[in-house]
Amino acid sequence: MIDNLSDYLREQQDGVYSLLRHYLQLQRPFLLGAELRSEFQRFCQQAAVAHLCHSTLAQLISRTQEAVLHSPWIYLAIRQRIGCWDYLRFHLDTLQHEMIAVNDYLAFKEQVHGRRDGEWVLEIDLGPFTRDAPRLHESRSIGRGVAFLNRHLSNQLFHDIERGGRDLLQFLQLHHYQGAQLMLNDRIQSVSSLRSALRWADEFVSEHPPETCWATLQHTLQQHGFEPGWGRQRDQILATLRRLSDILEAPAPEPIAELLSQMPMLFNLVIVSPHGFFGQANVLGRPDTGGQVVYILDQVRALERAMRQRIYDQGLDIVPQILVLTRLIPEAEGSSCDQRLEAIIGTEQARILRVPFRNDRGEVITPWISRFEVWPYLERFSDDAQREILAELGRRPDLIIGNYSDGNLVATLLAQRLQVTQCNIAHALEKSKYLYADLFWQENEPNYHFSCQFTADLIAMNAADFIITSTYQEIAGTVNSVGQYECHSSFTMPGLYRVVNGIDVFDPKFNIVSPGADAAIYFPWLAQERRLQSLHGDIEQLLFGAADGSSRGELHDRDKPILFSMARLDRIKNISGLLQWYAESPELRQRANLLLIAGYTDATQSRDQEERQQIAQMHQLFDHYQLDGEVRWIGRHLDKRLAGELYRCIADRRGLFVQPALFEAFGLTVIEAMASGLPTFATQYGGPLEIIEHGYSGYHIDPNDGAATAALLVTFLRQCEQDPHHWQRIAEAAIARVESHYTWARYADQLLSLSCIYGFWKHVTNLERHQLRRYLELLYGLAFRRRAELLT
């Protein structure tokens, strides 16, 4: 397209000149892609230039994500395809155009923003450190990094089978637990002796009946070099022996991945989530808590179950341990967040380990601190946490998993010191939530401290051994939208630094591992034998009780189906937007009630400024549209069992679930509602776009078009009236979708396998990228630490 642009410009000089002039006359220095396209369509409505609507120029504009304008120049950031960008500039007077480098584009952007000529800029380019590393090339492969890496490195390592065999032999001899050797001992010293031992072991084990266990065979196998870890019973032991023998005979990626996934490598895990009130009760309605706490607790239960099963199948009698590392908050406000150690309900050996934040004088910080304010305390926190972890586990962990920006940075510091495999989970990256958050970082700094957060993200993303995301979009977006991680490929923070190569979405460290809903809590409404009948009285009061100090509004017409939404009360979750859509649709109000469970109804109970603003807006909408008889707003947290049964009770009434967020990284409530059998309408921006199959297992909505969303809800309710089976068809498809793609058992198995595979390749190759780590240390010391110190 760009190659043909010169010929096109010569042929259409008048039209192109008029368009560029039109853009400059807007007198706006920055235009987003949607704004460019909107203005282009408006411009093309003129008869003289109507032909431009289907031109080469139209294609160019359709792929442009951003423009920077300062007469006589217009600079364009063009996303040719997912993850692949070009930068182009036009001169209005001469109509000359040329491709430019990303740093030139960013420099012009800084100048338009107000940078003085000649001012020195720190330029960050991480590209040279990964230039020779294996890299994906196709957009469709993004998020399937482990499969690519395993194929690539298997071919590379076993190009010389003897050398590859030696590396694998050494790796198998590394494994031990509390001084006990696992897998292979030093009786096997070469690849040839390993082959011979495997042949002998296959014959020896095969002679025994299927019920034979490792303990019966152990003494003889140890004399020939084999230690525990091959399996518990005969067939499991044989499968592992033969898999290794096949690899040495004819290496292939799939058997290698299967072997590594089942090896005894994971016994102790640390999951890091420093900020917020992290507890199991009385916390989810508080600032900075919610979906991430639910995610981690469900994750821990699933991981412990999967680890116990794997360790059992390996023939070992080891009890796995999982620590959730978080902050101890002395002013716990009735929660358990002031307890150093807390057992996690539903597990056997998983605990929450809390370590306090301390200032530079060593004094404990007692009150809760917003996730945007934690940065000065994280380095000291990681030092203290390291000692606590080692004391609690008695050894270093086998895997560290970071959560959110602060947790990922702490995981980076811990993993580097302890030489442990590191996994990162973003949950949400703030940069993609706020318009021009990088460019106008100084304006946002008093409230959000993006200088610390974006730097921490940049360091942790590049330091991690692997990153898991809930959806493809989280990494790379869609054809028309930029992914959260892709947003970090290049950007500028004027006066701080310029990133020309920050994160590469084609890096094979990215893997999509979607979480699920707790199947014990969120199950279909038709499973009557599992229903929690004892809660129905409480739910009746919840739905139709009188308004009190924690609620507003009463549902006068009990026969109408209920539109239900449950989320934090902040701008991004857009609960007030849903309330306004409902209020402004007479037919929707006639056909359905609205139930909202979000935040507080009393602003004096909230400590979060954004939440207080949303509370005020909600009350204004209630008053202006007189909604008290059609909308019920409950301002309290529901425990999981009550929430699960509430979903089902609303399904009994043929209700719907609506998730109206402006952006949703994944959407646990979407999964929970679908698993319960509620037809679900959820934002098209973020995870729900992949979770829901539009028109089949639910519906996508545009949170920027409330009228269209209200119309879609009305259409669905009409269809249900006309066809009594329509509601149930969508409900059953939603249940099937969750069962096949979004379960915690599947999640845990994938995550553990990834850790084993990345751990092996990290050991036998140069995936640690020592030079990159040194560069990141420099970035940490010169950029992050200095910005964090300014907060104290």
Side-chain angles (χ1 to χ4, degrees):
M1 177 182 62
I2 293 177
D3 293 340
N4 300 326
L5 192 57
S6 296
D7 294 338
Y8 175 81
L9 290 176
R10 282 194 295 270
E11 297 171 3
Q12 301 290 337
Q13 286 192 27
D14 289 344
V16 173
Y17 173 80
S18 298
L19 175 64
L20 298 180
R21 188 167 177 271
H22 173 76
Y23 281 139
L24 287 168
Q25 285 177 336
L26 296 173
Q27 296 186 342
R28 295 176 58 187
F30 307 104
L31 289 175
L32 296 174
E35 295 169 322
L36 279 170
R37 289 186 283 277
S38 176
E39 288 296 332
F40 181 71
Q41 291 171 359
R42 187 176 294 113
F43 175 79
C44 288
Q45 289 173 0
Q46 303 173 47
V49 292
H51 61 282
L52 293 179
C53 289
H54 306 289
S55 65
T56 299
L57 190 62
Q59 295 177 39
L60 185 73
I61 297 297
S62 71
R63 297 182 187 181
T64 300
Q65 296 297 318
E66 181 186 65
V68 184
L69 305 94
H70 185 70
S71 185
W73 292 103
I74 295 180
Y75 282 52
L76 303 180
I78 303 162
R79 189 172 179 247
Q80 296 283 21
R81 60 186 178 90
I82 290 173
C84 296
W85 294 71
D86 286 321
Y87 301 90
L88 184 67
R89 69 175 184 175
F90 288 92
H91 191 281
L92 176 64
D93 297 332
T94 65
L95 288 189
Q96 287 181 335
H97 72 282
E98 62 178 330
M99 302 293 296
I100 56 173
V102 58
N103 53 340
D104 292 329
Y105 175 82
L106 295 174
F108 184 70
K109 194 173 181 180
E110 293 159 5
Q111 290 170 7
V112 172
H113 178 265
R115 180 174 66 87
R116 296 186 300 273
D117 288 340
E119 185 178 357
W120 182 81
V121 177
L122 171 63
E123 196 165 271
I124 298 171
D125 184 358
L126 297 165
F129 298 100
T130 58
R131 186 172 292 144
D132 298 325
R135 182 179 184 271
L136 302 163
H137 295 284
E138 300 301 326
S139 298
R140 67 176 181 275
S141 299
I142 292 172
R144 296 185 289 171
V146 73
F148 165 82
L149 188 68
N150 202 49
R151 287 194 304 271
H152 178 88
L153 294 180
S154 296
N155 294 333
Q156 186 180 77
L157 181 64
F158 287 95
H159 179 71
D160 180 345
I161 293 181
E162 200 64 25
R163 172 180 167 273
R166 284 196 303 272
D167 287 337
L168 188 54
L169 169 59
Q170 292 171 5
F171 186 72
L172 290 167
Q173 291 175 326
L174 281 178
H175 299 293
H176 59 85
Y177 185 79
Q178 294 184 342
Q181 183 66 43
L182 302 175
M183 298 306 288
L184 293 177
N185 58 42
D186 57 8
R187 291 176 183 270
I188 298 174
Q189 293 291 328
S190 66
V191 176
S192 60
S193 62
L194 176 58
R195 287 194 179 98
S196 298
L198 288 169
R199 283 193 293 270
W200 172 86
D202 192 311
E203 294 178 6
F204 171 71
V205 175
S206 297
E207 292 172 354
H208 293 77
E211 63 273 14
T212 305
C213 63
W214 173 267
T216 304
L217 307 170
Q218 181 171 351
H219 179 72
T220 304
L221 286 169
Q222 283 180 317
Q223 298 301 311
H224 289 80
F226 297 95
E227 297 290 345
W230 294 86
R232 181 165 295 272
Q233 293 186 318
R234 187 200 73 169
D235 289 350
Q236 292 171 323
I237 298 167
L238 281 174
T240 310
L241 291 169
R242 290 170 180 174
R243 190 172 290 125
L244 177 56
S245 182
D246 290 343
I247 291 169
L248 295 175
E249 180 71 15
E254 290 76 16
I256 292 173
E258 291 171 4
L259 176 69
L260 294 173
S261 296
Q262 299 305 317
M263 284 177 60
M265 298 168 61
L266 297 173
F267 307 108
N268 298 295
L269 270 59
V270 171
I271 298 173
V272 187
S273 180
H275 75 264
F277 286 92
F278 194 106
Q280 300 178 84
N282 302 321
V283 295
L284 293 186
R286 300 175 185 273
D288 276 346
T289 54
Q292 186 172 316
V293 173
V294 173
Y295 178 108
I296 293 173
L297 292 175
D298 285 345
Q299 174 197 49
V300 167
R301 296 183 185 102
L303 286 172
E304 189 190 66
R305 286 193 296 268
M307 290 172 70
R308 291 179 68 85
Q309 187 62 52
R310 284 188 178 212
I311 292 169
Y312 178 84
D313 291 341
Q314 289 157 359
L316 303 174
D317 297 313
I318 296 171
V319 178
Q321 298 186 80
I322 301 178
L323 293 179
V324 175
L325 172 65
T326 190
R327 182 195 165 204
L328 186 146
I329 307 175
E331 296 179 16
E333 301 181 13
S335 72
S336 59
C337 296
D338 57 350
Q339 298 178 19
R340 175 185 176 272
L341 209 60
E342 180 183 356
I344 295 178
I345 299 167
T347 71
E348 297 188 30
Q349 283 293 327
R351 288 99 72 200
I352 300 171
L353 172 65
R354 298 188 179 91
V355 176
F357 284 173
R358 297 179 185 272
N359 61 25
D360 54 5
R361 296 183 298 277
E363 300 164 337
V364 172
I365 306 300
T366 59
W368 164 83
I369 297 173
S370 161
R371 69 185 187 275
F372 297 116
E373 306 285 342
V374 300
W375 308 109
Y377 310 106
L378 296 184
E379 186 170 336
R380 176 69 179 264
F381 174 80
S382 68
D383 291 339
D384 295 343
Q386 180 177 337
R387 292 190 292 272
E388 298 276 358
I389 290 167
L390 294 175
E392 198 63 37
L393 295 178
R395 53 172 283 170
R396 68 179 185 176
D398 302 303
L399 172 66
I400 295 177
I401 303 173
N403 291 272
Y404 192 67
S405 302
D406 58 335
N408 288 331
L409 184 67
V410 172
T412 299
L413 297 173
L414 289 171
Q416 189 163 348
R417 295 191 201 115
L418 296 172
Q419 296 297 294
V420 175
T421 301
Q422 175 191 349
C423 167
N424 283 0
I425 306 173
H427 294 283
L429 291 163
E430 298 295 333
K431 185 174 177 295
S432 59
K433 289 184 180 181
Y434 300 84
L435 190 61
Y436 296 120
D438 49 358
L439 189 64
F440 294 98
W441 69 273
Q442 290 176 310
E443 289 82 347
N444 288 308
E445 196 71 357
N447 293 325
Y448 299 115
H449 304 294
F450 286 150
S451 64
C452 290
Q453 183 145 24
F454 296 172
T455 308
D457 286 334
L458 199 61
I459 293 168
M461 287 176 197
N462 283 281
D465 295 300
F466 67 102
I467 296 171
I468 66 171
T469 71
S470 299
T471 63
Y472 178 92
Q473 286 187 81
E474 192 177 333
I475 311 169
T478 67
V479 172
N480 298 315
S481 63
V482 181
Q484 290 187 61
Y485 280 96
E486 190 180 1
C487 285
H488 293 76
S489 60
S490 62
F491 61 95
T492 182
M493 302 178 75
L496 188 61
Y497 55 67
R498 174 192 303 158
V499 178
V500 298
N501 196 327
I503 189 70
D504 182 3
V505 296
F506 291 97
D507 192 315
K509 70 172 57 180
F510 287 103
N511 293 273
I512 300 167
V513 184
S514 300
D518 186 340
I521 303 294
Y522 305 102
F523 54 84
W525 90 103
L526 285 174
Q528 293 296 330
E529 71 285 356
R530 300 176 63 189
R531 296 287 297 270
L532 306 179
Q533 301 293 335
S534 62
L535 296 177
H536 285 195
D538 292 339
I539 290 173
E540 181 76 9
Q541 181 66 24
L542 200 68
L543 294 177
F544 302 111
D548 55 25
S550 64
S551 66
R552 177 168 181 177
E554 300 176 22
L555 304 181
H556 291 165
D557 187 345
R558 294 182 172 220
D559 295 329
K560 292 194 292 188
I562 294 174
L563 309 180
F564 174 41
S565 191
M566 180 166 58
R568 293 193 314 273
L569 197 56
D570 60 26
R571 184 185 67 85
I572 294 295
K573 294 298 183 183
N574 199 32
I575 293 294
S576 59
L578 172 59
L579 182 61
Q580 185 162 355
W581 305 342
Y582 176 85
E584 293 177 350
S585 173
E587 187 173 359
L588 189 57
R589 293 173 65 170
Q590 178 188 353
R591 290 180 176 274
N593 291 316
L594 178 61
L595 172 67
L596 302 173
I597 299 181
Y600 297 100
T601 56
D602 182 357
T604 62
Q605 293 182 287
S606 175
R607 297 172 57 186
D608 185 87
Q609 181 178 358
E610 186 173 304
E611 184 178 43
R612 290 196 296 269
Q613 293 170 348
Q614 289 292 309
I615 292 169
Q617 187 173 347
M618 294 281 285
H619 284 297
Q620 289 170 5
L621 290 168
F622 263 86
D623 295 339
H624 180 73
Y625 291 99
Q626 300 180 349
L627 297 171
D628 286 281
E630 299 161 302
V631 180
R632 184 156 171 78
W633 170 24
I634 298 171
R636 67 184 181 91
H637 167 66
L638 307 185
D639 68 70
K640 289 178 65 176
R641 292 189 179 277
L642 182 60
E645 192 61 27
L646 176 60
Y647 282 123
R648 290 185 287 273
C649 286
I650 292 174
D652 289 336
R653 296 173 172 275
R654 291 300 189 264
L656 316 174
F657 185 78
V658 185
Q659 203 270 32
L662 300 175
F663 177 83
E664 182 61 62
F666 180 62
L668 279 177
T669 55
V670 171
I671 295 293
E672 293 165 359
M674 292 172 68
S676 305
L678 269 181
T680 299
F681 293 70
T683 180
Q684 66 185 12
Y685 299 115
L689 187 63
E690 293 177 36
I691 295 170
I692 292 172
E693 304 154 294
H694 183 72
Y696 179 71
S697 58
Y699 298 87
H700 301 139
I701 62 174
D702 183 352
N704 300 307
D705 191 344
T709 299
L712 183 63
L713 290 166
V714 166
T715 299
F716 180 81
L717 293 169
R718 285 179 189 161
Q719 288 175 316
C720 292
E721 284 186 6
Q722 296 165 3
D723 177 3
H725 300 293
H726 183 65
W727 185 95
Q728 186 148 341
R729 280 197 297 269
I730 299 295
E732 290 173 351
I735 294 168
R737 177 71 173 168
V738 172
E739 289 177 347
S740 62
H741 288 82
Y742 302 101
T743 67
W744 280 112
R746 187 172 182 267
Y747 171 99
D749 186 63
Q750 287 181 290
L751 177 53
L752 295 177
S753 295
L754 286 171
S755 179
C756 293
I757 295 169
Y758 278 96
F760 170 70
W761 290 120
K762 179 179 178 179
H763 174 74
V764 300
T765 68
N766 190 32
L767 287 184
E768 284 195 84
R769 304 170 184 171
H770 297 290
Q771 299 90 342
L772 172 60
R773 286 189 177 272
R774 297 297 290 172
Y775 188 90
L776 295 175
E777 289 171 7
L778 188 69
L779 185 59
Y780 179 89
L782 296 181
F784 174 81
R785 185 182 280 156
R786 290 186 178 182
R787 295 303 309 178
E789 287 172 351
L790 294 176
L791 272 67
T792 56

